[in-house]
Amino acid sequence: MDQGRETGAAVLSALADQLHRGERLLWTGEPDPSVLFTGSDVFLVPFSLLWCGFTTFWIHGVVSSGAPAAVVAFGGVFAVIGLYVLVGRFVVKRWTKERTRYAVTDQRALVITGSSSVSDADLRRASVSVRYGRGRRHVTVTVGPGGGWSPAAVYANTGMDVFGMRGPQQFGLYDVADVEGLTRALKTARER
């Protein structure tokens, strides 16, 4: 177990407080922190390279022209944003995944971050989408509003979701290596 991972006992303790009366735990697991790229990166990586390139060019021009420090600082803000989109979001994404655990009960899917932050989605009433990664080695399950475009859905699981995008929120269990265990638990929960 990685040093950053919460212990199984801490997760089960946080989970035990969240279970409804008569609710049965079917599966627990975690995201694979080594999976960093998503389909959205087809856009985000080239965009961040262009952003950083333009910002570097602009700051160099401003500094060379002897512009006031406030103008250079203004460009610095854009440089920091570009560096976050290019590199920082992957660090944040990995760190978040290392602190996250998932659970599926006979009624809900739960995401436990740290040892106390728990969010859930009702599996019986919401739409559930299952996407397999390359070679079916990982699975991503999203629950809730689907079909419509929203920044929250596009940037989910990219490291950009820390900015609290507006729109229908995407609830998901991302990049799970235990494909068989998770899909079996979902099938059992959806059949009830």
Side-chain angles (χ1 to χ4, degrees):
M1 188 176 291
D2 294 340
Q3 269 188 336
R5 286 268 181 221
E6 294 293 323
T7 64
V11 170
L12 291 176
S13 174
L15 186 57
D17 295 339
Q18 299 297 319
L19 293 179
H20 298 150
R21 183 180 175 101
E23 190 172 18
R24 193 171 51 109
L25 183 63
L26 301 174
W27 174 86
T28 61
E30 58 202 36
D32 183 347
S34 69
V35 179
L36 296 177
F37 292 98
T38 68
S40 297
D41 288 310
V42 169
F43 164 74
L44 286 172
V45 169
F47 175 78
S48 63
L49 288 169
L50 286 170
W51 180 291
C52 287
F54 177 78
T55 303
T56 301
F57 176 75
W58 186 85
I59 290 174
H60 175 58
V62 167
V63 170
S64 298
S65 71
V71 175
V72 176
F74 178 75
V77 170
F78 286 92
V80 168
I81 292 169
L83 288 173
Y84 179 81
V85 177
L86 182 64
V87 178
R89 67 189 177 92
F90 294 111
V91 174
V92 168
K93 182 176 176 177
R94 184 175 181 101
W95 179 78
T96 301
K97 282 183 164 187
E98 288 174 348
R99 299 179 56 238
T100 300
R101 296 288 221 175
Y102 299 135
V104 174
T105 71
D106 56 351
Q107 300 172 19
R108 301 177 294 154
L110 296 101
V111 176
I112 302 119
T113 306
S115 59
S116 59
S117 176
V118 178
S119 57
D120 68 342
D122 190 332
L123 291 171
R124 299 166 299 171
R125 297 189 191 125
S127 63
V128 175
S129 172
V130 178
R131 283 188 337 261
Y132 296 95
R134 285 192 169 178
R136 297 176 73 95
R137 290 186 305 249
H138 293 89
V139 64
T140 291
V141 175
T142 53
V143 181
W149 182 90
S150 79
V154 171
Y155 294 120
N157 193 35
T158 64
M160 296 293 290
D161 40 3
V162 299
F163 293 113
M165 305 289 179
R166 297 191 188 277
Q169 293 302 305
Q170 185 89 37
F171 179 90
L173 286 67
Y174 299 103
D175 307 319
V176 176
D178 182 10
V179 174
E180 186 179 323
L182 176 54
T183 54
R184 185 176 43 241
L186 284 171
K187 183 178 179 192
T188 301
R190 299 287 285 174
E191 288 174 350
R192 295 187 132 246

Coordinates of all heavy atoms in Angstrom, one line a residue, residues 8-88:
G8 N -7.2 0.7 5.0 CA -8.5 0.1 4.8 C -9.4 0.3 6.0 O -10.6 0.5 5.8
A9 N -8.9 0.3 7.2 CA -9.7 0.5 8.4 C -10.3 1.9 8.4 O -11.4 2.1 8.8 CB -8.8 0.2 9.7
A10 N -9.5 2.9 8.1 CA -10.0 4.3 8.1 C -11.1 4.5 7.0 O -12.1 5.1 7.3 CB -8.8 5.3 7.8
V11 N -10.9 3.8 5.9 CA -11.9 3.9 4.8 C -13.2 3.2 5.3 O -14.3 3.8 5.2 CB -11.4 3.3 3.5 CG1 -12.5 3.2 2.5 CG2 -10.3 4.1 3.0
L12 N -13.1 2.0 5.8 CA -14.3 1.3 6.3 C -15.0 2.0 7.4 O -16.2 2.0 7.5 CB -13.9 -0.1 6.7 CG -13.5 -1.0 5.6 CD1 -13.0 -2.4 6.1 CD2 -14.6 -1.2 4.6
S13 N -14.2 2.7 8.3 CA -14.8 3.5 9.4 C -15.6 4.7 8.8 O -16.7 4.9 9.2 CB -13.7 4.0 10.3 OG -14.2 4.9 11.2
A14 N -15.0 5.4 7.8 CA -15.7 6.5 7.2 C -16.9 6.0 6.5 O -18.0 6.6 6.5 CB -14.8 7.2 6.2
L15 N -16.8 4.8 5.9 CA -17.9 4.2 5.1 C -19.0 3.7 6.0 O -20.2 3.9 5.7 CB -17.4 3.1 4.3 CG -18.3 2.4 3.3 CD1 -18.9 3.4 2.3 CD2 -17.6 1.3 2.5
A16 N -18.7 3.1 7.1 CA -19.7 2.6 8.1 C -20.7 3.7 8.5 O -21.8 3.4 8.7 CB -19.0 2.0 9.3
D17 N -20.2 4.9 8.7 CA -21.0 6.0 9.1 C -22.0 6.4 8.0 O -23.0 7.1 8.3 CB -20.2 7.2 9.6 CG -19.4 6.9 10.8 OD1 -19.7 6.0 11.6 OD2 -18.4 7.6 11.0
Q18 N -21.7 6.1 6.8 CA -22.4 6.5 5.6 C -23.5 5.6 5.2 O -24.4 5.9 4.4 CB -21.5 6.8 4.5 CG -20.5 7.9 4.7 CD -21.2 9.3 5.0 OE1 -22.1 9.6 4.3 NE2 -20.7 10.0 6.0
L19 N -23.4 4.3 5.6 CA -24.3 3.3 5.1 C -25.7 3.5 5.7 O -25.9 3.8 6.9 CB -23.9 1.9 5.5 CG -22.6 1.4 4.7 CD1 -22.2 0.0 5.2 CD2 -22.7 1.5 3.2
H20 N -26.7 3.4 4.8 CA -28.1 3.5 5.3 C -28.6 2.2 5.9 O -27.9 1.2 5.7 CB -29.1 3.8 4.1 CG -28.8 5.1 3.4 ND1 -29.0 5.3 2.1 CD2 -28.2 6.3 3.9 CE1 -28.6 6.5 1.8 NE2 -28.2 7.1 2.8
R21 N -29.6 2.3 6.7 CA -30.1 1.1 7.4 C -30.5 0.0 6.3 O -31.2 0.3 5.4 CB -31.4 1.5 8.2 CG -32.0 0.4 9.0 CD -33.2 0.9 9.7 NE -33.8 -0.2 10.4 CZ -33.7 -0.5 11.7 NH1 -32.9 0.3 12.4 NH2 -34.3 -1.5 12.3
G22 N -30.0 -1.2 6.5 CA -30.2 -2.3 5.6 C -29.4 -2.2 4.3 O -29.5 -3.1 3.5
E23 N -28.5 -1.3 4.1 CA -27.7 -1.2 2.9 C -26.5 -2.1 3.1 O -25.9 -2.3 4.1 CB -27.2 0.3 2.8 CG -26.5 0.5 1.5 CD -26.2 2.0 1.3 OE1 -26.2 2.8 2.3 OE2 -25.9 2.4 0.2
R24 N -26.2 -2.8 2.0 CA -25.1 -3.8 2.0 C -24.0 -3.4 1.1 O -24.2 -3.0 0.0 CB -25.7 -5.1 1.5 CG -24.9 -6.3 1.8 CD -25.7 -7.6 1.4 NE -26.3 -7.5 0.1 CZ -25.9 -8.3 -0.9 NH1 -24.9 -9.1 -0.8 NH2 -26.5 -8.2 -2.1
L25 N -22.8 -3.5 1.6 CA -21.5 -3.2 0.9 C -21.2 -4.3 -0.1 O -21.1 -5.5 0.4 CB -20.4 -3.0 1.9 CG -19.1 -2.5 1.3 CD1 -19.2 -1.2 0.6 CD2 -18.0 -2.5 2.4
L26 N -21.0 -4.0 -1.4 CA -20.8 -5.0 -2.4 C -19.3 -5.0 -2.8 O -18.8 -6.0 -3.2 CB -21.6 -4.8 -3.6 CG -23.1 -4.8 -3.4 CD1 -23.9 -4.5 -4.7 CD2 -23.6 -6.2 -2.9
W27 N -18.7 -3.8 -2.8 CA -17.3 -3.7 -3.4 C -16.6 -2.5 -2.9 O -17.3 -1.4 -2.6 CB -17.4 -3.7 -4.9 CG -16.1 -3.4 -5.6 CD1 -15.2 -4.4 -6.0 CD2 -15.6 -2.2 -6.0 NE1 -14.1 -3.8 -6.6 CE2 -14.4 -2.4 -6.6 CE3 -16.0 -0.9 -5.9 CZ2 -13.6 -1.4 -7.2 CZ3 -15.3 0.2 -6.5 CH2 -14.0 -0.1 -7.1
T28 N -15.3 -2.5 -2.6 CA -14.5 -1.4 -2.4 C -13.3 -1.4 -3.3 O -12.8 -2.5 -3.6 CB -14.1 -1.2 -0.9 OG1 -13.3 -2.3 -0.6 CG2 -15.2 -1.1 0.0
G29 N -12.8 -0.3 -3.7 CA -11.6 -0.3 -4.5 C -11.0 1.1 -4.6 O -11.4 2.0 -3.8
E30 N -10.1 1.4 -5.5 CA -9.5 2.7 -5.6 C -9.1 2.9 -7.1 O -9.0 2.0 -7.9 CB -8.2 2.6 -4.8 CG -7.3 1.5 -5.2 CD -6.3 1.1 -4.1 OE1 -6.7 1.1 -2.9 OE2 -5.2 0.8 -4.4
P31 N -8.9 4.2 -7.4 CA -8.4 4.6 -8.7 C -6.9 4.2 -8.9 O -6.2 4.2 -7.9 CB -8.6 6.1 -8.8 CG -8.6 6.5 -7.4 CD -9.1 5.4 -6.6
D32 N -6.5 4.0 -10.1 CA -5.1 3.7 -10.3 C -4.4 5.0 -10.5 O -4.6 5.7 -11.5 CB -4.9 2.8 -11.6 CG -3.5 2.5 -11.9 OD1 -2.6 3.0 -11.3 OD2 -3.3 1.6 -12.7
P33 N -3.5 5.5 -9.6 CA -2.9 6.8 -9.7 C -1.9 6.9 -10.9 O -1.5 8.0 -11.3 CB -2.1 6.9 -8.4 CG -2.2 5.7 -7.7 CD -3.1 4.8 -8.4
S34 N -1.5 5.8 -11.5 CA -0.6 5.8 -12.6 C -1.3 6.2 -13.9 O -0.7 6.5 -14.9 CB 0.1 4.5 -12.8 OG -0.7 3.5 -13.2
V35 N -2.6 6.2 -14.0 CA -3.4 6.5 -15.2 C -3.6 8.0 -15.1 O -4.4 8.5 -14.3 CB -4.7 5.8 -15.3 CG1 -5.5 6.2 -16.5 CG2 -4.5 4.3 -15.3
L36 N -2.9 8.8 -15.9 CA -3.0 10.3 -15.8 C -3.8 10.9 -17.0 O -4.3 12.0 -16.9 CB -1.6 10.8 -15.8 CG -0.8 10.5 -14.5 CD1 0.6 11.0 -14.6 CD2 -1.5 10.9 -13.3
F37 N -3.8 10.3 -18.1 CA -4.4 10.9 -19.3 C -5.8 10.4 -19.5 O -6.2 9.3 -19.2 CB -3.6 10.6 -20.6 CG -2.2 11.3 -20.6 CD1 -1.1 10.6 -20.2 CD2 -2.1 12.6 -20.9 CE1 0.2 11.2 -20.1 CE2 -0.9 13.2 -20.9 CZ 0.3 12.5 -20.5
T38 N -6.6 11.3 -20.1 CA -8.0 11.0 -20.4 C -8.2 11.5 -21.9 O -7.4 12.1 -22.5 CB -9.0 11.8 -19.5 OG1 -8.9 13.2 -19.8 CG2 -8.8 11.6 -18.1
G39 N -9.4 11.3 -22.4 CA -9.7 11.7 -23.7 C -9.7 13.2 -23.9 O -9.3 13.7 -25.0
S40 N -9.9 14.0 -22.8 CA -9.9 15.4 -22.9 C -8.5 15.9 -23.1 O -8.3 17.1 -23.5 CB -10.4 16.0 -21.6 OG -11.8 15.7 -21.4
D41 N -7.5 15.1 -22.8 CA -6.1 15.6 -23.0 C -5.7 15.7 -24.5 O -4.7 16.4 -24.8 CB -5.1 14.6 -22.3 CG -5.2 14.8 -20.8 OD1 -5.1 15.9 -20.3 OD2 -5.4 13.8 -20.1
V42 N -6.5 15.2 -25.4 CA -6.3 15.4 -26.8 C -6.4 16.9 -27.1 O -5.7 17.4 -28.0 CB -7.3 14.6 -27.6 CG1 -7.3 15.0 -29.1 CG2 -7.0 13.1 -27.5
F43 N -7.2 17.6 -26.4 CA -7.4 19.0 -26.5 C -6.5 19.8 -25.5 O -5.8 20.7 -25.9 CB -8.8 19.4 -26.3 CG -9.0 20.9 -26.0 CD1 -8.9 21.8 -27.0 CD2 -9.3 21.3 -24.7 CE1 -9.0 23.2 -26.8 CE2 -9.4 22.7 -24.4 CZ -9.3 23.6 -25.5
L44 N -6.4 19.3 -24.2 CA -5.8 20.1 -23.2 C -4.2 20.1 -23.4 O -3.6 21.2 -23.1 CB -6.1 19.5 -21.8 CG -7.5 19.8 -21.3 CD1 -7.8 19.0 -20.0 CD2 -7.7 21.2 -21.0
V45 N -3.6 19.1 -23.8 CA -2.1 19.1 -23.9 C -1.7 20.1 -25.0 O -0.9 20.9 -24.8 CB -1.6 17.7 -24.1 CG1 -0.1 17.7 -24.5 CG2 -1.7 16.8 -22.8
P46 N -2.2 20.0 -26.3 CA -1.8 21.0 -27.3 C -2.2 22.4 -26.9 O -1.4 23.3 -27.1 CB -2.6 20.5 -28.5 CG -2.9 19.1 -28.3 CD -3.1 18.9 -26.8
F47 N -3.4 22.6 -26.3 CA -3.8 23.9 -25.8 C -2.8 24.4 -24.8 O -2.4 25.6 -24.9 CB -5.2 23.8 -25.2 CG -5.6 25.1 -24.6 CD1 -6.0 26.2 -25.4 CD2 -5.6 25.3 -23.2 CE1 -6.4 27.4 -24.9 CE2 -6.0 26.6 -22.7 CZ -6.4 27.6 -23.5
S48 N -2.4 23.6 -23.8 CA -1.4 24.1 -22.8 C -0.1 24.4 -23.4 O 0.6 25.4 -22.9 CB -1.3 23.1 -21.7 OG -0.8 21.9 -22.1
L49 N 0.4 23.6 -24.4 CA 1.6 23.9 -25.0 C 1.6 25.3 -25.8 O 2.5 26.1 -25.7 CB 2.0 22.8 -26.0 CG 2.5 21.5 -25.4 CD1 2.6 20.4 -26.4 CD2 3.8 21.7 -24.6
L50 N 0.5 25.5 -26.5 CA 0.3 26.8 -27.2 C 0.2 27.9 -26.2 O 0.8 29.0 -26.4 CB -1.0 26.8 -28.0 CG -0.9 26.0 -29.3 CD1 -2.2 25.8 -30.0 CD2 0.1 26.6 -30.3
W51 N -0.5 27.7 -25.1 CA -0.7 28.8 -24.1 C 0.7 29.1 -23.5 O 1.0 30.3 -23.4 CB -1.6 28.2 -23.0 CG -1.8 29.2 -21.8 CD1 -1.0 29.6 -20.9 CD2 -3.1 29.8 -21.5 NE1 -1.6 30.5 -20.0 CE2 -2.9 30.6 -20.4 CE3 -4.3 29.8 -22.1 CZ2 -3.9 31.4 -19.8 CZ3 -5.3 30.6 -21.5 CH2 -5.1 31.3 -20.4
C52 N 1.5 28.1 -23.1 CA 2.8 28.4 -22.5 C 3.7 29.0 -23.5 O 4.5 29.9 -23.1 CB 3.4 27.1 -21.9 SG 2.6 26.5 -20.4
G53 N 3.7 28.6 -24.7 CA 4.6 29.2 -25.8 C 4.2 30.6 -26.0 O 5.1 31.5 -26.1
F54 N 2.9 30.9 -26.2 CA 2.5 32.3 -26.4 C 2.9 33.2 -25.2 O 3.4 34.3 -25.3 CB 1.0 32.4 -26.7 CG 0.6 33.8 -26.8 CD1 0.8 34.5 -28.0 CD2 0.0 34.5 -25.8 CE1 0.5 35.9 -28.1 CE2 -0.4 35.8 -25.9 CZ -0.2 36.5 -27.1
T55 N 2.6 32.7 -24.0 CA 2.9 33.4 -22.7 C 4.4 33.7 -22.6 O 4.8 34.8 -22.3 CB 2.4 32.7 -21.5 OG1 1.0 32.4 -21.7 CG2 2.6 33.5 -20.2
T56 N 5.2 32.7 -22.9 CA 6.7 32.9 -22.9 C 7.1 33.9 -23.9 O 7.9 34.8 -23.5 CB 7.4 31.5 -23.2 OG1 7.0 30.6 -22.2 CG2 8.9 31.7 -23.1
F57 N 6.6 33.9 -25.1 CA 6.9 34.8 -26.1 C 6.5 36.2 -25.7 O 7.2 37.2 -25.8 CB 6.2 34.4 -27.4 CG 6.4 35.4 -28.5 CD1 7.6 35.5 -29.2 CD2 5.3 36.2 -28.9 CE1 7.7 36.4 -30.3 CE2 5.5 37.1 -29.9 CZ 6.7 37.2 -30.6
W58 N 5.3 36.3 -25.1 CA 4.8 37.6 -24.7 C 5.6 38.2 -23.6 O 6.0 39.4 -23.6 CB 3.3 37.5 -24.3 CG 2.6 38.8 -24.0 CD1 2.0 39.6 -24.8 CD2 2.5 39.4 -22.7 NE1 1.5 40.7 -24.2 CE2 1.8 40.6 -22.9 CE3 2.9 39.0 -21.4 CZ2 1.5 41.4 -21.8 CZ3 2.6 39.9 -20.4 CH2 1.9 41.1 -20.6
I59 N 5.9 37.4 -22.5 CA 6.7 37.9 -21.4 C 8.1 38.3 -21.9 O 8.6 39.4 -21.5 CB 6.8 36.8 -20.3 CG1 5.4 36.7 -19.6 CG2 7.8 37.2 -19.3 CD1 5.3 35.6 -18.6
H60 N 8.7 37.5 -22.8 CA 10.0 37.9 -23.3 C 10.0 39.3 -24.0 O 10.8 40.1 -23.8 CB 10.5 36.8 -24.2 CG 11.8 37.2 -24.9 ND1 13.0 37.5 -24.2 CD2 12.2 37.3 -26.2 CE1 14.0 37.8 -25.0 NE2 13.5 37.7 -26.3
G61 N 8.9 39.5 -24.8 CA 8.7 40.8 -25.5 C 8.5 41.9 -24.5 O 9.1 43.0 -24.7
V62 N 7.8 41.7 -23.5 CA 7.5 42.7 -22.5 C 8.7 43.1 -21.7 O 9.0 44.3 -21.5 CB 6.3 42.3 -21.6 CG1 6.2 43.2 -20.4 CG2 5.0 42.2 -22.3
V63 N 9.5 42.1 -21.3 CA 10.7 42.3 -20.5 C 11.7 43.0 -21.4 O 12.4 44.0 -21.0 CB 11.3 41.0 -20.0 CG1 12.7 41.2 -19.4 CG2 10.3 40.4 -18.9
S64 N 11.9 42.6 -22.7 CA 12.8 43.2 -23.6 C 12.5 44.7 -23.9 O 13.4 45.5 -24.2 CB 12.8 42.4 -24.9 OG 13.3 41.1 -24.7
S65 N 11.2 45.0 -23.9 CA 10.8 46.4 -24.2 C 11.0 47.3 -23.0 O 10.7 48.5 -23.1 CB 9.4 46.4 -24.7 OG 8.5 46.1 -23.7
G66 N 11.3 46.7 -21.8 CA 11.4 47.6 -20.6 C 10.1 48.0 -20.0 O 10.0 49.0 -19.3
A67 N 9.1 47.2 -20.2 CA 7.7 47.5 -19.6 C 7.8 47.5 -18.1 O 8.7 46.9 -17.5 CB 6.7 46.5 -20.1
P68 N 6.8 48.2 -17.5 CA 6.8 48.2 -16.0 C 6.6 46.8 -15.4 O 6.1 45.9 -16.1 CB 5.5 49.1 -15.7 CG 5.2 49.8 -17.0 CD 5.8 49.0 -18.1
A69 N 7.0 46.7 -14.2 CA 7.0 45.4 -13.5 C 5.5 44.9 -13.4 O 5.3 43.6 -13.4 CB 7.6 45.5 -12.1
A70 N 4.6 45.7 -13.3 CA 3.2 45.3 -13.2 C 2.7 44.6 -14.4 O 2.0 43.6 -14.4 CB 2.3 46.5 -12.9
V71 N 3.2 45.0 -15.6 CA 2.9 44.3 -16.8 C 3.5 43.0 -16.9 O 2.9 42.0 -17.3 CB 3.3 45.2 -18.1 CG1 3.0 44.5 -19.4 CG2 2.5 46.5 -18.0
V72 N 4.7 42.9 -16.5 CA 5.4 41.6 -16.4 C 4.7 40.6 -15.4 O 4.5 39.5 -15.7 CB 6.9 41.8 -16.0 CG1 7.6 40.4 -15.9 CG2 7.6 42.6 -17.0
A73 N 4.3 41.1 -14.3 CA 3.6 40.3 -13.3 C 2.3 39.8 -13.9 O 1.9 38.7 -13.6 CB 3.4 41.1 -12.0
F74 N 1.6 40.7 -14.6 CA 0.4 40.3 -15.3 C 0.6 39.1 -16.2 O -0.2 38.1 -16.2 CB -0.2 41.5 -16.1 CG -1.5 41.2 -16.8 CD1 -2.7 41.1 -16.2 CD2 -1.4 41.0 -18.2 CE1 -3.8 40.8 -16.8 CE2 -2.6 40.7 -18.9 CZ -3.8 40.6 -18.2
G75 N 1.7 39.1 -16.9 CA 2.0 38.0 -17.8 C 2.4 36.8 -17.0 O 2.2 35.6 -17.4
G76 N 3.0 37.0 -15.8 CA 3.4 35.9 -14.9 C 2.2 35.1 -14.5 O 2.3 33.9 -14.3
V77 N 1.1 35.8 -14.2 CA -0.1 35.1 -13.8 C -0.5 34.1 -14.9 O -0.9 32.9 -14.6 CB -1.3 36.1 -13.5 CG1 -2.6 35.4 -13.4 CG2 -1.0 36.9 -12.3
F78 N -0.5 34.5 -16.2 CA -0.8 33.6 -17.3 C 0.2 32.5 -17.4 O -0.2 31.4 -17.8 CB -1.0 34.4 -18.6 CG -2.2 35.2 -18.6 CD1 -2.2 36.5 -18.2 CD2 -3.4 34.7 -19.1 CE1 -3.4 37.3 -18.2 CE2 -4.6 35.4 -19.1 CZ -4.6 36.7 -18.6
A79 N 1.4 32.8 -17.1 CA 2.5 31.7 -17.1 C 2.2 30.6 -16.1 O 2.3 29.4 -16.4 CB 3.9 32.3 -16.9
V80 N 1.8 31.1 -14.9 CA 1.5 30.1 -13.8 C 0.3 29.3 -14.2 O 0.3 28.0 -14.0 CB 1.2 30.8 -12.5 CG1 0.6 29.9 -11.4 CG2 2.5 31.5 -12.0
I81 N -0.8 29.9 -14.8 CA -1.9 29.1 -15.3 C -1.5 28.1 -16.3 O -1.9 26.9 -16.3 CB -3.0 30.1 -15.8 CG1 -3.6 30.9 -14.7 CG2 -4.1 29.3 -16.5 CD1 -4.5 32.1 -15.2
G82 N -0.7 28.5 -17.3 CA -0.2 27.6 -18.3 C 0.6 26.5 -17.8 O 0.4 25.3 -18.2
L83 N 1.4 26.7 -16.8 CA 2.2 25.6 -16.2 C 1.3 24.7 -15.4 O 1.6 23.5 -15.4 CB 3.3 26.2 -15.3 CG 4.5 26.9 -16.0 CD1 5.4 27.6 -15.0 CD2 5.2 25.9 -16.9
Y84 N 0.3 25.2 -14.8 CA -0.6 24.3 -14.1 C -1.3 23.4 -15.1 O -1.4 22.1 -14.9 CB -1.7 25.0 -13.3 CG -2.6 24.1 -12.6 CD1 -2.3 23.5 -11.4 CD2 -3.8 23.7 -13.2 CE1 -3.1 22.5 -10.8 CE2 -4.7 22.8 -12.6 CZ -4.3 22.2 -11.4 OH -5.1 21.2 -10.8
V85 N -1.8 23.9 -16.2 CA -2.5 23.1 -17.2 C -1.6 22.1 -17.8 O -2.0 21.0 -18.1 CB -3.2 24.0 -18.2 CG1 -3.9 23.2 -19.3 CG2 -4.3 24.9 -17.5
L86 N -0.3 22.5 -18.1 CA 0.6 21.7 -18.7 C 1.2 20.6 -17.8 O 1.2 19.4 -18.2 CB 1.8 22.5 -19.3 CG 2.9 21.8 -20.0 CD1 2.3 21.2 -21.3 CD2 4.0 22.7 -20.3
V87 N 1.5 20.9 -16.6 CA 2.1 19.9 -15.7 C 1.4 19.8 -14.3 O 1.2 18.6 -13.9 CB 3.6 20.4 -15.4 CG1 4.3 19.4 -14.5 CG2 4.4 20.5 -16.7
G88 N 1.1 20.9 -13.7 CA 0.6 20.8 -12.3 C -0.7 20.0 -12.1 O -0.8 19.3 -11.1

